[in-house]
Amino acid sequence: MADNNSLTGVESLEVELPDQIVTVQILVVIFLCINLMLIITFFTKECFYTTTRYILFAVTLLSDSFLLFMSDILVIFTQFYITIQVWLCIIICVVVLVYVTVTPVTLTAMTLERYVAICMPLRHGELCSPRNTIRCILIIHGLSSVPCIIILCTFFGSAPLSFYKQYQLCSVELFLLSIWQQHLRSAIYQFQFLIMCIVLVFSYVKIMKVAKAASGEDKKSTKKGLRTVVLHGFQLLLCLIQLWCPFIEAPLLQISFSLFNNVRYFNYIMFFLAPRCLSPLIYGLRDEVFFHALKNCASFGLYKGNTI
């Protein structure tokens, strides 16, 4: 069973492990509640929804929330063997396929924003204006849609019309009718992440040079930006490992189903859920302005901190 369904996390859990299903449901609810609180905080101050890095941060929150919600629906469907018609499954999986890529592409854009802010400060206001940010978001979603479009085009070209009315367990694997389609999807994602890694390394090297030359307050700010880029790199690494998981899991199925199941559960937690809880840490807790606004929001206005 050589597949890439780690992207959706649908088959990471099986009915024989209800305790793991419950654990995942709890984690998903916690992450969704945290994301909701952060999104509410984002709209409390004008400086957040008019600043590029905060707008892109909100995009990652919405993307992760959509993805967690939709993939959790698929987990529940799989758990209870709920079948749906293929055409409805296509609609659900389009959201999953698009938003599984939106977050890493947005992280790359956030890395570039830090590069511009630190290495090109005089042009930061021009390049990272709200209007350009909206254009960037459209580009992010366009690039993230490429794998989905290719996967569905290969499916539409090979599936008979009668197949769309059949009732099936919904998963991305449903649209990969041949081995070459699985390899094609893997190649597309690997290429995308290679480009993102190149951008991240380029930004890191440039910011590192500025950090060495900076002094005083500028040096402190630059080092903070450098740490942010490193954390983005760690998130991208987890997302990249997520793509390799199926190649590790497939041979285990031939050895032991129990071992295969446990490894897929571990991979789902580590490489699907974990990267999506790092964004709140990076910008929700490490950013002083946003953190004070978050505490004020969480305390229903009782906390009076250093907000702007």
Side-chain angles (χ1 to χ4, degrees):
M1 181 182 283
D3 59 65
N4 285 333
N5 205 41
S6 290
L7 291 172
T8 65
V10 175
E11 294 179 1
S12 301
L13 314 170
E14 301 290 337
V15 291
E16 288 81 358
L17 300 169
D19 54 328
Q20 295 180 352
I21 291 287
V22 171
T23 300
V24 168
Q25 297 307 305
I26 293 173
L27 290 175
V28 168
V29 169
I30 291 174
F31 291 156
L32 287 177
C33 289
I34 292 174
N35 285 357
L36 178 61
M37 179 62 70
L38 292 170
I39 292 169
I40 293 173
T41 302
F42 169 77
F43 286 104
T44 58
K45 292 188 175 294
E46 185 180 357
C47 66
F48 295 149
Y49 52 82
T50 58
T51 304
T52 296
R53 70 177 184 272
Y54 293 123
I55 295 173
L56 293 178
F57 171 51
V59 171
T60 64
L61 292 176
L62 290 170
S63 168
D64 290 343
S65 298
F66 283 143
L67 186 59
L68 288 174
F69 180 73
M70 298 305 290
S71 64
D72 192 47
I73 289 176
L74 296 182
V75 168
I76 294 172
F77 281 1
T78 303
Q79 162 72 13
F80 296 103
Y81 286 99
I82 300 174
T83 59
I84 60 176
Q85 284 189 311
V86 172
W87 67 266
L88 180 57
C89 180
I90 291 175
I91 296 174
I92 296 174
C93 287
V94 162
V95 177
V96 173
L97 285 169
V98 171
Y99 282 97
V100 79
T101 312
V102 165
T103 292
V105 176
T106 305
L107 290 174
T108 305
M110 294 169 79
T111 299
L112 285 175
E113 187 276 333
R114 289 293 82 199
Y115 160 73
V116 172
I118 294 171
C119 301
M120 306 168 62
L122 298 180
R123 298 199 62 193
H124 183 261
E126 173 192 351
L127 295 176
C128 299
S129 64
R131 177 176 294 183
N132 286 338
T133 303
I134 298 302
R135 293 171 181 167
C136 179
I137 292 172
L138 294 176
I139 293 172
I140 287 170
H141 282 78
L143 293 174
S144 301
S145 300
V146 172
C148 177
I149 292 172
I150 294 176
I151 290 169
L152 290 181
C153 283
T154 59
F155 170 72
F156 292 149
S158 55
L161 292 177
S162 59
F163 186 69
Y164 298 100
K165 294 184 179 180
Q166 293 182 14
Y167 283 82
Q168 302 277 353
L169 275 176
C170 186
S171 103
V172 174
E173 258 48 52
L174 198 61
F175 312 118
L176 304 177
L177 304 178
S178 304
I179 295 296
W180 69 268
Q181 291 173 307
Q182 298 174 15
H183 292 320
L184 176 62
R185 181 177 70 163
S186 178
I188 294 168
Y189 281 119
Q190 298 287 356
F191 178 74
Q192 278 192 330
F193 275 87
L194 174 63
I195 299 299
M196 287 185 270
C197 289
I198 291 173
V199 171
L200 188 126
V201 171
F202 168 81
S203 301
Y204 180 85
V205 171
K206 291 293 185 180
I207 294 174
M208 178 71 78
K209 290 181 180 179
V210 173
K212 289 183 178 180
S215 59
E217 193 67 27
D218 288 340
K219 192 175 188 69
K220 181 180 178 181
S221 176
T222 303
K223 285 188 174 180
K224 185 175 181 180
L226 199 61
R227 287 194 295 270
T228 300
V229 172
V230 171
L231 287 171
H232 286 336
F234 181 63
Q235 279 183 283
L236 286 175
L237 176 62
L238 292 178
C239 292
L240 181 60
I241 294 174
Q242 175 182 292
L243 299 178
W244 297 335
C245 289
F247 301 102
I248 299 173
E249 297 161 2
L252 297 179
L253 184 60
Q254 309 301 323
I255 301 173
S256 168
F257 178 78
S258 176
L259 178 61
F260 165 81
N261 221 4
N262 289 330
V263 170
R264 296 206 78 174
Y265 172 72
F266 173 81
N267 288 341
Y268 180 75
I269 297 295
M270 287 298 299
F271 306 123
F272 186 82
L273 292 182
R276 284 154 183 85
C277 70
L278 286 178
S279 290
L281 172 65
I282 295 174
Y283 276 91
L285 300 180
R286 290 182 66 250
D287 188 282
E288 184 177 350
V289 175
F290 197 92
F291 181 61
H292 285 302
L294 176 62
K295 288 202 290 186
N296 184 61
C297 182
S299 63
F300 300 100
L302 297 178
Y303 170 80
K304 303 296 180 182
N306 182 29
T307 59
I308 60 176

